[in-house]
């Protein structure tokens, strides 16, 4: 089953090169393709679970921020299993993504810092909003023309 998937979306299929070279694929944590898919699915499930659980804490910004941010970190980490850490970092900090990546990562860690260390509710709430916007913008950087679509949608809704 997983070999068929690899052939369709891996280095032999339409998305050739998206998962890195054969050497990068083999060196990804030393895991086999099946183990990498399993790691991706587990991290994805844990991340989605944390994000879902965060909604139960909407009235408690600190608790919400902790669950939501941990969910986001797991979701971001899930792709490490697919592409490998070197390829992931190379993609994240490419010239067209470095600013959105930096803002997203800063908002992730800033949210955790204000929620856990500073325990400042209002600042945590603001950082969660920034984190969400940065996550949308970062994700859109992987979809052709998505950032342009977001820009035009926001300019229609909020004339600036």
């Amino acid at each position: 089953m997983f070999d068929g998937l690899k052939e369709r979306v891996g280095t032999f299929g339409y998305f050739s090169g998206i998962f890195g070279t054969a050497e990068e694929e083999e060196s990804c944590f030393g895991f086999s393709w099946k183990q990498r898919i399993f790691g991706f699915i587990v991290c994805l499930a844990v991340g989605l679970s944390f994000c879902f659980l965060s909604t139960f804490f909407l009235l408690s910004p600190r608790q919400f921020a902790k669950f939501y941010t941990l969910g986001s970190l797991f979701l971001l980490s899930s792709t490490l299993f697919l592409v490998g850490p070197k390829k992931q970092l190379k993609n994240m900090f490419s010239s067209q993504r470095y600013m959105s990546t930096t803002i997203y990562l800063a908002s992730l860690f800033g949210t955790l810092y204000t929620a856990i260390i500073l325990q400042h509710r209002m600042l945590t709430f603001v950082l969660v909003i920034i984190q969400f916007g940065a996550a949308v913008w970062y994700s859109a950087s992987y979809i052709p023309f998505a950032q342009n679509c977001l820009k035009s949608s926001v300019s229609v809704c909020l004339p600036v």
Side-chain angles (χ1 to χ4, degrees), residues 22-154:
E23 300 90 40
E24 288 172 333
E25 280 190 13
E26 296 302 322
S27 68
C28 180
F29 305 115
F31 293 152
S32 70
W33 179 251
K34 290 178 186 178
Q35 291 170 326
R36 291 169 58 190
I37 293 294
F38 182 75
F40 166 74
I41 291 170
V42 168
C43 280
L44 183 69
V46 170
L48 290 173
S49 297
F50 272 123
C51 287
F52 174 73
L53 287 172
S54 71
T55 61
F56 292 110
F57 299 102
L58 284 174
L59 298 177
S60 175
R62 288 182 43 232
Q63 293 296 345
F64 172 80
K66 291 176 196 176
F67 279 96
Y68 182 72
T69 303
L70 285 174
S72 295
L73 286 170
F74 271 100
L75 290 172
L76 187 62
S77 300
S78 68
T79 57
L80 287 172
F81 286 97
L82 292 181
V83 298
K86 190 187 302 186
K87 182 82 170 175
Q88 174 84 4
L89 289 173
K90 185 178 175 183
N91 287 337
M92 288 173 66
F93 290 100
S94 66
S95 61
Q96 67 268 23
R97 289 190 189 101
Y98 78 91
M99 186 59 74
S100 59
T101 299
T102 303
I103 293 170
Y104 182 46
L105 292 176
S107 67
L108 282 171
F109 294 110
T111 302
L112 281 178
Y113 180 75
T114 57
I116 296 170
I117 306 296
L118 296 180
Q119 299 183 0
H120 193 281
R121 284 181 156 201
M122 193 60 186
L123 187 55
T124 299
F125 181 71
V126 168
L127 281 169
V128 165
I129 293 171
I130 292 170
Q131 178 184 336
F132 179 77
V136 169
W137 190 255
Y138 169 76
S139 299
S141 74
Y142 284 91
I143 303 168
F145 306 108
Q147 287 181 330
N148 291 336
C149 183
L150 284 173
K151 283 180 193 177
S152 62
S153 298
V154 168

